[in-house]
Amino acid sequence: MAKVRVRFAPSPTGPLHLGGVRTALFDYLFAKNQGGDFVLRIEDTDTARYVEGAEEYIEEALEWCGIIPDESPKKGGKFAPYRQSERRDIYDKYTEKILQTDYAYLAFDTPEELDAIRAEYEARGEVFSYDNKTRNRLKNSISLSEEEVQKLLDEKKPYVVRFKMPLDRTLNLEDIIRGKFSVNTNTLDDKVLVKNDGMPTYHFANIVDDHEMEITHVIRGEEWLPSLGLHTLLYEAMGWEAPQFAHLSLILKPEGKGKLSKRDGDKFGFPVFPLNFKDPETGNISQGYRENGYLPDAFINMVALLGWSPADDKEILSMDEMIKEFDLHKVHKAGARFSKEKAEWFNHQYIQMKSDEELLNILKSSDLHLNIADEKLLRIIHLMKERATFPKDIYENGKFFFEAPSSYDEKASKKAWNEETSGILKDLSTQLEAVDFHVETLKNTIHDFAENKGLGMGKVMMPLRLSLVGELKGPDVPDILEILGKEESIARISHAVNNFQ
Ligand code: GLU
């Protein structure tokens, strides 16, 4: 059997969105599960829709996700070039070939002529389609005589190459995820294969490249399902064996209805792109998962489960586990609802799985500029990670480790402080001055202090916590004391005592 080869073939028309990442991931998981190759091909024949920086964005996003192509424009490979704009001579060769068959013809209708016909149809409440019913009345090498065609060619009149959709044929198609279905060719139109500037359209370049690059499986978004009939016939026309196809369902809005769109991200407050993207025209920045504190392995795990259920409904899987378990037959036919809560849940789980040292590196490479010794930061991470969804939560929920409280929460103050409290804390402070700042010693000191004074623990712990944190939150007080150290702790206590006097 031929080696499995799968390609991801995005067009550089903007940043890769969540759906694109999922397609790339499923392409990759399937290829690697089968011991095959994963190819990145940039489909940039539509120059009008080209967006500056989009190709670099796609490469960077895949790299961040750990979806590493075996062949790509950057990496090269046996079937280079991997950018369609650089493969023109290959398409030219195959344009000639298809024109020698009965599956393609030249069409000389100008855009203005076609617009006029479209308008006529519209006026009658009909929709115009260039197809096997209308082509005989239009300006092409089927309706015109050979001499007329030659004359137009001699006059250098621009033309496009169109696919000649066969009349009334039932195509029996097969999709790995959706099974078998049939389409009648009378419902399909004569798509343009080559534009009047000689550039192939998506349909033609796509099948030529899939053939040339020996692609065995095409896994792509369901928006391409209506093209499957045409693509199947193109393979037939060229005398090539078609690859197998699998079309992935949509990713749906959080409420479960309609396709997740770019705007939903702003509306519901979550990113729909893997990385931030700055629109080169408007300068607007679209939010990325990376910049929002998602870990790449958590992100990828979340994306993989949008439409795929591994065996035993397992939820946490590493890339290697996903590769091992991936099965296109277990990909759902129905759309997959996106959930922000679930995305956050995955990130929280992955933060818990990270070692303190790994989180230290993440925090240190973030833009937080934490001015604190590694050893202390590691202790803070250890204490705070349990409640963190994003790395920055460790800092935000533990801000009191980095700076003294500038005010005291009002409600907490009422609860924790009464007229005896200042005296109690002053006495406690004196005792703390005399001991080593180690959790166990601190615990015992505070405990003995409370006992000797005949005070309930709350009467001591609450104001102490309030002095150190500014509110009644945070990890155990002895832990906080140890990390802050003697000098800083005593200073905070005395600041609170002065404040409440
Ligand atoms: N260039 C197409 C896209 O941007 C590729 C579709 C396909 O995979 O065939 O989605």
Side-chain angles (χ1 to χ4, degrees):
M1 235 177 69
K3 184 173 196 193
V4 164
R5 287 178 53 81
V6 187
R7 88 303 193 274
F8 176 52
S11 299
T13 53
L16 201 60
H17 54 83
L18 219 46
V21 174
R22 191 199 42 182
T23 301
L25 179 62
F26 284 13
D27 283 334
Y28 177 78
L29 294 177
F30 178 75
K32 295 298 144 192
N33 173 274
Q34 300 284 310
D37 297 328
F38 170 66
V39 178
L40 172 66
R41 181 174 75 226
I42 298 292
E43 301 209 323
D44 57 352
T45 55
D46 192 350
T47 45
R49 294 184 60 218
Y50 181 83
V51 171
E52 192 73 44
E55 182 184 324
E56 291 75 10
Y57 179 97
I58 292 166
E59 296 235 13
E60 194 184 338
L62 292 183
E63 201 175 317
W64 181 69
C65 294
I67 305 172
I68 310 297
D70 298 298
E71 299 158 35
S72 72
K74 223 162 88 181
K75 211 169 190 170
K78 190 172 155 201
F79 300 94
Y82 292 92
R83 228 175 253 121
Q84 289 190 326
S85 57
E86 294 164 15
R87 298 173 62 81
R88 177 72 189 270
D89 49 339
I90 301 171
Y91 308 128
D92 285 352
K93 183 173 93 192
Y94 288 120
T95 302
E96 262 174 54
K97 181 169 169 186
I98 199 165
L99 279 170
Q100 279 156 24
T101 71
D102 194 31
Y103 286 95
Y105 61 93
L106 308 184
F108 295 91
D109 322 80
T110 64
E112 295 74 30
E113 285 165 348
L114 290 177
D115 282 347
I117 297 171
R118 240 174 246 125
E120 269 173 42
Y121 271 67
E122 243 169 63
R124 293 200 300 268
E126 293 170 25
V127 179
F128 169 71
S129 163
Y130 207 121
D131 58 22
N132 54 28
K133 289 174 285 300
T134 58
R135 70 166 85 100
N136 287 322
R137 285 177 274 125
L138 294 154
K139 214 187 271 149
N140 53 54
S141 57
I142 296 173
S143 61
L144 304 172
S145 68
E146 240 173 78
E147 294 73 42
E148 285 170 313
V149 170
Q150 196 52 54
K151 190 166 165 265
L152 290 170
L153 289 176
D154 292 343
E155 287 168 5
K156 302 245 175 300
K157 287 278 189 268
Y159 63 85
V160 299
V161 177
R162 282 186 183 269
F163 186 72
K164 187 177 163 197
M165 190 53 73
L167 194 67
D168 201 19
R169 255 182 70 185
T170 300
L171 304 174
N172 295 314
L173 306 174
E174 190 164 353
D175 179 281
I176 299 173
I177 298 166
R178 287 145 207 273
K180 293 186 172 153
F181 61 101
S182 49
V183 174
N184 187 286
T185 52
N186 287 356
T187 63
L188 303 175
D189 61 349
D190 289 358
K191 284 269 183 284
V192 173
L193 301 179
V194 182
K195 291 175 275 187
N196 62 15
D197 60 0
M199 266 309 228
T201 57
Y202 154 71
H203 299 292
F204 194 53
N206 187 269
I207 69 111
V208 164
D209 286 343
D210 283 348
H211 169 75
E212 282 273 305
M213 296 181 178
E214 297 176 8
I215 298 303
T216 56
H217 294 78
V218 170
I219 305 164
R220 59 187 174 189
E222 77 168 12
E223 65 273 27
W224 300 108
L225 195 59
S227 303
L228 187 55
L230 169 65
H231 292 186
T232 304
L233 286 169
L234 278 168
Y235 283 103
E236 176 183 301
M238 301 301 278
W240 296 334
E241 195 190 330
Q244 292 189 56
F245 291 92
H247 291 85
L248 307 173
S249 301
L250 294 176
I251 298 181
L252 306 173
K253 292 181 196 297
E255 66 260 31
K257 268 199 220 122
K259 184 180 167 181
L260 183 74
S261 78
K262 240 164 106 164
R263 281 175 304 274
D264 291 331
D266 301 332
K267 200 162 127 201
F268 299 106
F270 59 81
V272 289
F273 300 109
L275 320 176
N276 274 8
F277 182 74
K278 186 171 178 197
D279 188 304
E281 262 175 42
T282 61
N284 287 346
I285 296 193
S286 305
Q287 290 295 310
Y289 278 84
R290 179 178 67 184
E291 289 77 4
N292 275 264
Y294 281 85
L295 305 174
D297 31 8
F299 171 65
I300 277 307
N301 193 157
M302 179 275 287
V303 171
L305 298 201
L306 288 171
W308 168 53
S309 307
D312 310 329
D313 284 331
K314 224 191 289 163
E315 289 198 287
I316 301 290
L317 294 101
S318 67
M319 187 70 108
D320 285 344
E321 288 169 320
M322 291 196 272
I323 289 173
K324 216 152 126 209
E325 295 221 11
F326 191 73
D327 181 355
L328 273 178
H329 295 101
K330 295 225 175 78
V331 171
H332 310 166
K333 267 185 252 181
R337 191 173 67 84
F338 176 82
S339 157
K340 178 189 174 193
E341 292 70 34
K342 198 77 202 187
E344 290 180 351
W345 179 84
F346 274 107
N347 216 47
H348 175 77
Q349 297 297 319
Y350 273 82
I351 295 242
Q352 307 317 308
M353 284 162 15
K354 290 266 176 254
S355 68
D356 297 344
E357 288 73 18
E358 284 171 305
L359 290 170
L360 176 88
N361 288 333
I362 293 173
L363 282 178
K364 281 176 70 175
S365 58
S366 73
D367 51 10
L368 287 172
H369 304 300
L370 301 173
N371 214 352
I372 193 166
D374 285 2
E375 186 206 337
K376 272 198 178 180
L377 190 49
L378 278 171
R379 293 221 43 208
I380 297 170
I381 290 168
H382 191 75
L383 282 176
M384 304 305 291
K385 79 174 179 195
E386 197 179 300
R387 260 170 275 160
T389 298
F390 300 105
K392 70 165 179 4
D393 294 346
I394 293 172
Y395 168 72
E396 268 161 22
N397 299 335
K399 242 190 197 140
F400 53 88
F401 283 119
F402 304 91
E403 50 196 82
S406 53
S407 62
Y408 303 94
D409 181 72
E410 218 182 288
K411 226 165 118 199
S413 304
K414 275 204 188 116
K415 196 166 161 203
W417 217 282
N418 60 30
E419 56 289 354
E420 349 161 277
T421 310
S422 293
I424 297 172
L425 280 199
K426 269 190 207 158
D427 290 349
L428 176 65
S429 203
T430 316
Q431 306 240 335
L432 291 175
E433 288 268 19
V435 299
D436 276 348
F437 261 50
H438 292 302
V439 172
E440 282 312 309
T441 320
L442 290 162
K443 237 188 241 169
N444 294 335
T445 308
I446 300 168
H447 186 265
D448 293 350
F449 173 82
E451 207 172 66
N452 290 340
K453 294 244 168 196
L455 295 165
M457 276 306 265
K459 280 225 154 45
V460 183
M461 279 303 190
M462 270 204 294
L464 185 52
R465 180 183 290 283
L466 185 70
S467 315
L468 302 171
V469 177
E471 34 188 353
L472 296 179
K473 289 189 196 151
D476 288 349
V477 169
D479 285 308
I480 302 176
L481 285 166
E482 189 191 290
I483 293 174
L484 290 177
K486 191 184 282 185
E487 199 183 327
E488 176 66 16
S489 300
I490 303 273
R492 286 190 190 189
I493 296 168
S494 97
H495 188 273
V497 166
N498 291 336
N499 179 74
F500 286 106
Q501 241 154 22

